[in-house]
Amino acid sequence: MKVILAQPRGFCAGVVRAIEIVELALRKYGAPVYVRHEIVHNRHVVERLKSKGARFVEELSEVPEGSVTIFSAHGVARKVQVEAEARNLPVLDATCPLVSKVHNQAKRYIAQGRTLILIGHAGHPEVEGTLGQIDGNVILVQNESDVAALDLPAETPIAYVTQTTLSVDDTRAIIAALQRRFNDVSGPSTSDICYATQNRQSAVRELAKLVDVILVVGAKNSSNSNRLREIGEEAGVPSYLIADGSTLEEHWVRGAKTVGLTAGASAPEILVDDVISSLRRLGDVEVTTLSGVEENVTFRLPVQLSDLPAPNRAERVN
Ligand code: SF4
């Protein structure tokens, strides 16, 4: 069996930064530190950080007085920030800078007097956070039918922002529908979209041309991993989401000569290796990597942690 690895795959710069923030906070302040929501959507990452002393909570009310508190990479609503300020909690914000950029862009559009359309998935923590950052007219739109159902006159000045785990390709049809429906539509330039989302999706499209089946390493609640799986399916290749090697189902790859393997932005490389090990248990495996974009994006750590030496990013696999 041939296994072709997508390039790029796995951890993005926002996820690496978020994990480093938890690790460095543990080093600087000692255990426990409290993390609101899963720092990134991956059980392996969460369990590893738990074993080092991180405690994961869904609400700030679960954080004891004075405890170091970390906001996850997905971002939080303003009311969460206000609650943390009111309780004087020492906060480290692991919100991905690209998510913060969407928040700031959205606020600028509202300040211009525009009705804001957020294109995203209802209930996703990033969407909840972005909706909760905006004081003003903001409407969540998930598909073209939602655009058709908008009860607004065509002359309403509109602006849109998008959930970061949606690529240009994902949102193209919705944006086109907005432009048909309204006379005055503003949106961010395409250079503002998340590079990692776009690159991983493009790599899966390339992979789909070469393989019989695609395995996407990622968690069920990882929006970007699910999207990678859907893209494989849309290209006509049977595609499966796989948490780690132990969840490989033999019938997925039975008869496949070439298996494509990728990983969502929150899935560590150690789990990709784990899936390869499970494939090797089924027979001989030859692994190659697709040529693709080499990413070298890094994000600065919060100022509170800048006195510590950063972990070696090149070696980060879990
Ligand atoms: Fe940030 Fe993009 Fe990674 Fe999300 S996928 S954490 S927006 S870099």
Side-chain angles (χ1 to χ4, degrees):
M1 181 191 292
K2 282 189 178 165
V3 172
I4 306 181
L5 301 175
Q7 171 63 33
R9 63 183 178 279
F11 280 174
C12 60
V15 163
V16 168
R17 174 178 179 270
I19 295 169
E20 284 180 0
I21 288 173
V22 180
E23 290 177 343
L24 293 175
L26 285 163
R27 197 185 306 168
K28 180 163 181 172
Y29 304 106
V33 298
Y34 287 78
V35 185
R36 186 185 177 279
H37 194 68
E38 290 188 340
I39 186 75
V40 299
H41 284 156
N42 189 275
R43 195 181 52 81
H44 169 90
V45 172
V46 168
E47 292 300 326
R48 197 178 60 76
L49 293 174
K50 262 189 200 170
S51 73
K52 291 184 164 190
R55 296 204 182 145
F56 290 85
V57 298
E58 284 307 309
E59 300 301 335
L60 288 191
S61 57
E62 300 166 61
V63 179
E65 288 310 311
S67 300
V68 172
T69 305
I70 300 170
F71 295 155
S72 77
H74 313 96
V76 294
R78 181 77 195 118
K79 69 173 191 224
V80 177
Q81 294 169 321
V82 168
E83 186 184 347
E85 283 160 21
R87 290 190 54 206
N88 275 324
L89 292 173
V91 168
L92 291 165
D93 191 354
T95 303
C96 176
L98 297 185
V99 174
S100 301
K101 193 171 173 183
V102 170
H103 294 173
N104 293 335
Q105 179 79 64
K107 287 173 192 168
R108 278 198 294 275
Y109 286 137
I110 290 287
Q112 291 167 7
R114 293 179 178 275
T115 295
L116 187 77
I117 305 292
L118 171 59
I119 303 172
H121 299 305
H124 188 278
E126 182 190 323
V127 166
E128 299 290 312
T130 304
L131 289 172
Q133 281 286 335
I134 313 301
D135 290 326
N137 292 332
V138 52
I139 303 169
L140 177 65
V141 156
Q142 303 192 76
N143 48 44
E144 288 168 75
S145 331
D146 288 351
V147 175
L150 287 171
D151 187 17
L152 295 169
E155 56 277 12
T156 310
I158 294 283
Y160 64 84
V161 291
T162 66
Q163 185 179 337
T164 55
T165 43
L166 300 178
S167 68
V168 175
D169 308 294
D170 292 331
T171 55
R172 188 174 288 123
I174 299 176
I175 293 168
L178 285 170
Q179 282 163 340
R180 283 194 302 274
R181 174 90 167 64
F182 297 99
N183 305 330
D184 178 5
V185 179
S186 284
S189 87
T190 50
S191 62
D192 279 352
I193 63 131
C194 167
Y195 76 98
T197 299
Q198 190 66 42
N199 288 348
R200 279 152 193 68
Q201 292 191 6
S202 300
V204 168
R205 287 196 182 89
E206 287 306 308
L207 198 61
K209 294 176 190 164
L210 305 172
V211 301
D212 304 311
V213 59
I214 291 176
L215 303 177
V216 179
V217 183
K220 283 199 177 110
N221 61 343
S222 160
S223 174
N224 78 87
S225 305
N226 279 296
R227 191 65 197 111
L228 294 179
R229 191 200 66 76
E230 285 167 10
I231 287 169
E233 289 280 343
E234 284 162 15
V237 180
S239 303
Y240 303 94
L241 198 60
I242 178 167
D244 55 32
S246 71
T247 58
L248 176 70
E249 295 192 25
E250 193 177 339
H251 68 92
W252 292 345
V253 294
R254 194 176 293 136
K257 288 197 175 66
T258 311
V259 174
L261 185 55
T262 187
S266 46
E269 186 68 7
I270 199 170
L271 297 182
V272 174
D273 293 340
D274 191 43
V275 172
I276 294 171
S277 299
S278 290
L279 289 169
R280 287 195 199 285
R281 283 194 275 278
L282 303 178
D284 286 345
V285 167
E286 179 195 325
V287 181
T288 56
T289 303
L290 207 62
S291 61
V293 176
E294 294 289 339
E295 294 174 340
N296 53 10
V297 177
T298 54
F299 294 132
R300 258 206 309 264
L301 291 164
V303 65
Q304 299 99 309
L305 299 173
S306 56
D307 54 332
L308 299 179
N312 186 346
R313 289 179 163 160
E315 288 178 5
R316 177 159 295 288
V317 293
N318 66 5

